[in-house]
Amino acid sequence: MPTLKEMRQVAQWCFRHRLLVVAAWLVALVACNFAVRGIGSSYEDNFSLPQTQSFQAMSLLQRNAPKAAGDTDQLVVAVQHGSVTDAAAKARMDALLGRIARLPHVTEIGSPYAGTATAKGQISPSGKVAFATITFDESAANFPGTEATNYDHIISSASGNGVTFADSGQVAEDGNPSGTSSSLPIGFLAAGIVLLLIFGTFPAMLMPLLAAGISLGTGLAVVGLLSNVISIASFSGQLAMLIGLGVGVDYALFIVTRYRQGMLRGLDREEAVAQALDTSGRAVLFAGAIVCIAMLGMMLLGVEFLFGVAIAAAVIVAFTVVTALTLLPALLALFGGSVLRRRDRRAIAAGSFTCSDESPGWRRWADFLASRPALLATVAAALMLLIAVPFFSMRLGAADATSDAHSTTTYKAYGLLAEGFGAGYSGPLQLVATVRSAHERAEFDAVVSAVKRTADVVDVTTPVFMPGQHGDSDVATADVYPAGSPQAASTSQLLSVLRGNVIPAATAHTSLAVLVGGQTAVFADFASVLTAKLPLFVGIVVLLSAMLLMVIFRSLVVPLAAALMNLLSTAASLGVVTAVFQFGWFGKLLGITPGPIEAFVPVLMFPILFGLSMDYEVFLVSRICEEWHMRGDNREAVRHGVAATGKTITAAATIMVLVFAAFVLGGQRIIEMFGIGLASAVLLDALIVRSIFVPAVMLVLGKANWHMPAWLERRLPRLNVEGRAVRAPLPGPTA
């Protein structure tokens, strides 16, 4: 943490060199965006995890049968009248398959008209629906976005005259439009309205938006450039945008608010900027560091898919902190006293200053809290626990195409496959094994027969034996079609039964190793691994955050209480996500189809929510701590701290809620989950945890809040978050 002198020097330098600072940020914004336009970005989704069967099955195919090692999509054809085997429908399907065969990375096409036993199973009993299998030599994660989009367009544009073509699979899924373009402007508009209501002047409203916009534009360009160097998931940009806009506006809000308070006390503009950075700026720096540490802590899970997401979010948050501490002082210098209302400027000109930052309404609420803290703390805790109840029924997995927009080819393909064959045909499991002799081929056939007799298995394709790359073995594959959809709990249970019972029993007296892979298995393995690692990750983040708070507030109780309260906020928000996305509450209103919670969402949401909750904890408790050091009375410190920060925290939370909620309008299920989860978390945190629970508990605990054993006090480093505030009105004119 910078010293008092260093933080003030940064503020004064940026204030005095305002034009240079603004110009430098504009140059950085333009340069980074020109660079990403020229070089491009390369986002990719890779859910594979070593030491899982799905990964081992994919690796086996990549080593011994690379042409079959990529993703497999299903091109569906359906007719309104007649049969898919009619000459006209067959001719159109053959023409489309011929066009697809010429596309990059397409290695094999399994036509329903091939005449084989497998092909006959690709035509529905009604004759109205059929599908072809499209095999690629690469996973969808390695496809450029333009190739996946072109693939979708070729298929969807072939429909017409009573014949419908659609595609189901990961390549087609990656070609679906994201539909989030309107979320960012709506978020900016909502934040601007709230800022205008809070500050009452256009310049004061504009500065946080400018700072957030420049940091977001520069940070997203840097993330796009980094995607060419490290693997970053495709939704990382949208997630980083969601987080960056929320925290960027909030950080600027806290600093501008403190600047205005300094002006109203009689400080000149430069000193008001210096004090704003020396107090709220320090809290912003620490809060941003907490968010970055929590995000980067995901790398401890050892899941490569999360590395890029964590880095992208940390980069965006880092940019918002740096702009708040450098660009914002320059903007305050440029806009001058216009950030104040006219009546405030007239009062200052007349020499009428104030020494109180407290809101009368929040002072009355603080007095009410102090009158019955134990009761209010109990009610707040009970309410949060009640909201968190659905969280304990959360089922992790991967949503299938029923959650896609109804206009997408994947949604249409899912409906056609379910109608013609069954829900499980859109996400088959895959049996994979290495066979070295005719005897092992027979053993693989026996495994296929055993799997086919298993409950919840609709069909298993005829085994395919492909020559291996090394000549001494073949690779055997067969597709397993479950009765349930890819997201159904029965499919996850079937996967466990096949791996744990059926296949081991069928291969008990053989040396054959049969793996169960496929995209559905990949997502199931991903969920299983993350579920196992989550408790350790939560423990590490909570412990690290508590240690940082202990160093800053010189207390044992405050960090412990903060960690428990932040865990409660996270559980409550995940309870809301579970209720909406898994149970289907308000699903029709929000246009959401119930399904499992994406496996990585809780892992990603936890550090984000923990970091954002810690933001408000730092802003609130640092002010209470400041009051404690001045007054030496815990009760008065809590009352004055709540009265001074309640209005600002509530305003900041309102902005975050509106920004996060705006991203629900994008139509992308993952971003919708984050939008609802983060919006509900901030709402609950601001209204219940920070406004009731934290101050009520601190009132109950009294002086114990600030207890620290002397031997530990001497060994801890010192970090100053409160800075040096001027608490009395100063004489002298300001302009």
Side-chain angles (χ1 to χ4, degrees):
M1 186 71 68
T3 64
L4 292 170
K5 183 178 179 181
E6 289 169 345
M7 187 62 84
R8 294 178 65 83
Q9 286 175 341
V10 170
Q12 291 167 345
W13 192 93
C14 293
F15 186 93
R16 294 168 186 172
H17 300 85
R18 62 203 75 171
L19 294 178
L20 177 61
V21 173
V22 172
W25 272 107
L26 291 176
V27 168
L29 174 65
V30 173
C32 289
N33 278 276
F34 265 110
V36 78
R37 282 175 178 263
I39 299 173
S41 57
S42 181
Y43 295 102
E44 62 177 17
D45 297 324
N46 183 7
F47 296 95
S48 301
L49 291 170
Q51 311 306 321
T52 61
Q53 276 203 34
S54 57
F55 179 84
Q56 293 166 1
M58 182 175 62
S59 299
L60 190 154
L61 289 172
Q62 288 173 341
R63 288 194 310 269
N64 298 313
K67 289 186 177 182
D71 282 313
T72 299
D73 278 23
Q74 294 162 307
L75 196 162
V76 186
V77 58
V79 295
Q80 292 180 358
H81 307 288
S83 171
V84 292
T85 57
D86 292 343
K90 181 177 181 298
R92 291 180 62 179
M93 180 66 159
D94 286 340
L96 180 57
L97 292 178
R99 188 177 178 186
I100 291 174
R102 295 190 292 271
L103 293 177
H105 305 296
V106 175
T107 59
E108 186 178 353
I109 293 179
S111 172
Y113 308 120
T116 63
T118 298
K120 291 178 182 178
Q122 294 171 215
I123 300 175
S124 69
S126 67
K128 296 287 186 181
V129 183
F131 68 90
T133 56
I134 314 296
T135 304
F136 302 89
D137 60 3
E138 292 278 1
S139 67
N142 297 326
F143 273 57
T146 53
E147 286 189 16
T149 302
N150 182 53
Y151 175 73
D152 277 8
H153 176 71
I154 289 173
I155 294 171
S156 58
S157 62
S159 298
N161 298 322
V163 181
T164 301
F165 295 99
D167 192 85
S168 172
Q170 199 59 41
V171 176
E173 192 75 46
D174 286 0
N176 285 339
S178 62
T180 57
S181 58
S182 63
S183 301
L184 186 61
I186 292 174
F188 265 104
L189 178 62
I193 292 172
V194 176
L195 288 170
L196 189 59
L197 292 174
I198 295 169
F199 292 138
T201 70
F202 184 78
M205 175 270 285
L206 188 60
M207 279 187 294
L209 297 181
L210 282 175
I214 290 175
S215 67
L216 206 56
T218 309
L220 286 173
V222 171
V223 170
L225 293 171
L226 285 174
S227 68
N228 295 289
V229 182
I230 59 176
S231 176
I232 299 181
S234 60
F235 64 86
S236 298
Q238 294 292 337
L239 179 61
M241 188 187 302
L242 185 151
I243 299 170
L245 180 56
V247 301
V249 174
D250 266 19
Y251 290 168
L253 168 66
F254 282 111
I255 292 175
V256 173
T257 299
R258 199 64 182 240
Y259 167 79
R260 285 161 55 97
Q261 291 171 350
M263 292 277 288
L264 292 173
R265 289 198 196 99
L267 299 175
D268 62 41
R269 284 165 39 204
E270 183 174 336
E271 180 59 26
V273 169
Q275 188 185 116
L277 254 68
D278 195 26
T279 52
S280 291
R282 289 176 176 276
V284 164
L285 181 60
F286 178 76
I290 286 286
V291 177
C292 290
I293 290 171
M295 293 303 301
L296 294 176
M298 286 192 297
M299 301 178 78
L300 298 173
L301 291 171
V303 179
E304 187 177 350
F305 171 78
L306 299 176
F307 292 178
V309 183
I311 292 172
V315 166
I316 291 294
V317 173
F319 268 96
T320 62
V321 171
V322 176
T323 53
L325 300 182
T326 57
L327 178 61
L328 204 55
L331 293 175
L332 288 169
L334 288 174
F335 283 100
S338 61
V339 298
L340 297 176
R341 291 183 173 91
R342 288 184 180 179
R343 66 172 181 269
D344 293 329
R345 294 200 298 269
R346 287 196 296 267
I348 292 174
S352 176
F353 307 116
T354 180
C355 60
S356 175
D357 302 332
E358 298 179 7
S359 162
W362 280 95
R363 179 54 191 262
R364 289 191 293 271
W365 174 249
D367 291 340
F368 178 72
L369 277 176
S371 66
R372 46 184 65 82
L375 173 63
L376 291 172
T378 303
V379 171
L383 184 58
M384 293 293 285
L385 288 171
L386 179 64
I387 298 172
V389 167
F391 164 67
F392 299 99
S393 300
M394 178 182 287
R395 181 170 67 88
L396 299 181
D400 56 34
T402 57
S403 300
D404 294 342
H406 291 194
S407 60
T408 59
T409 184
T410 49
Y411 179 86
K412 295 174 183 176
Y414 178 92
L416 294 173
L417 284 171
E419 178 185 344
F421 300 91
Y425 271 71
S426 62
L429 303 171
Q430 186 179 43
L431 305 179
V432 182
T434 300
V435 293
R436 298 176 179 81
S437 64
H439 181 66
E440 288 191 340
R441 284 192 175 205
E443 291 174 343
F444 187 80
D445 288 336
V447 171
V448 168
S449 297
V451 170
K452 197 169 185 177
R453 295 191 300 268
T454 305
D456 286 327
V457 172
V458 174
D459 194 14
V460 183
T461 62
T462 303
V464 175
F465 299 94
M466 297 170 286
Q469 288 286 94
H470 307 294
D472 59 343
S473 62
D474 293 341
V475 177
T477 65
D479 291 336
V480 180
Y481 295 109
S485 67
Q487 71 177 21
S490 62
T491 302
S492 299
Q493 181 63 29
L494 173 62
L495 180 62
S496 299
V497 169
L498 292 180
R499 288 175 171 175
N501 300 323
V502 176
I503 294 176
T507 58
H509 303 292
T510 71
S511 58
L512 190 67
V514 179
L515 304 170
V516 183
Q519 198 64 40
T520 300
V522 167
F523 287 126
D525 288 341
F526 192 77
S528 177
V529 170
L530 290 186
T531 301
K533 291 176 177 286
L534 188 58
L536 175 63
F537 172 57
V538 169
I540 291 174
V541 173
V542 170
L543 178 62
L544 184 58
S545 301
M547 290 175 63
L548 285 172
L549 288 178
M550 182 173 64
V551 170
I552 286 181
F553 296 124
R554 324 302 290 181
S555 165
L556 291 178
V557 174
V558 169
L560 179 61
L564 293 175
M565 292 171 191
N566 290 342
L567 283 174
L568 188 58
S569 294
T570 303
S573 63
L574 289 174
V576 173
V577 169
T578 304
V580 173
F581 288 92
Q582 183 176 314
F583 297 168
W585 296 1
F586 310 108
K588 291 184 178 180
L589 178 64
L590 298 172
I592 293 170
T593 302
I597 307 303
E598 299 291 337
F600 54 84
V601 166
V603 177
L604 285 173
M605 279 187 62
F606 173 74
I608 297 171
L609 295 179
F610 201 86
L612 295 179
S613 297
M614 199 63 74
D615 283 356
Y616 293 141
E617 179 76 10
V618 169
F619 287 119
L620 172 62
V621 179
S622 63
R623 187 57 184 264
I624 294 175
C625 187
E626 181 183 329
E627 299 287 345
W628 162 255
H629 288 312
M630 289 185 58
R631 303 172 188 276
D633 185 315
N634 179 76
R635 179 184 173 87
E636 287 301 304
V638 173
R639 290 171 64 201
H640 286 283
V642 170
T645 61
K647 182 178 179 180
T648 305
I649 289 177
T650 304
T654 302
I655 291 173
M656 273 202 181
V657 169
L658 293 175
V659 167
F660 293 153
F663 281 79
V664 179
L665 305 175
Q668 192 174 1
R669 182 180 175 86
I670 294 172
I671 300 302
E672 288 176 343
M673 281 189 183
F674 282 114
I676 288 180
L678 295 177
S680 60
V682 172
L683 181 64
L684 294 172
D685 196 84
L687 290 183
I688 300 178
V689 177
R690 306 304 149 194
S691 298
I692 304 175
F693 199 21
V694 170
V697 169
M698 293 186 75
L699 285 166
V700 170
L701 294 175
K703 289 185 178 181
N705 288 307
W706 316 108
H707 174 69
M708 173 71 75
W711 63 269
L712 184 57
E713 167 80 21
R714 290 192 299 268
R715 288 168 173 79
L716 289 177
R718 290 193 173 273
L719 298 177
N720 186 346
V721 176
E722 305 100 67
R724 180 178 58 201
V726 178
R727 305 309 306 278
L730 299 177
T734 63

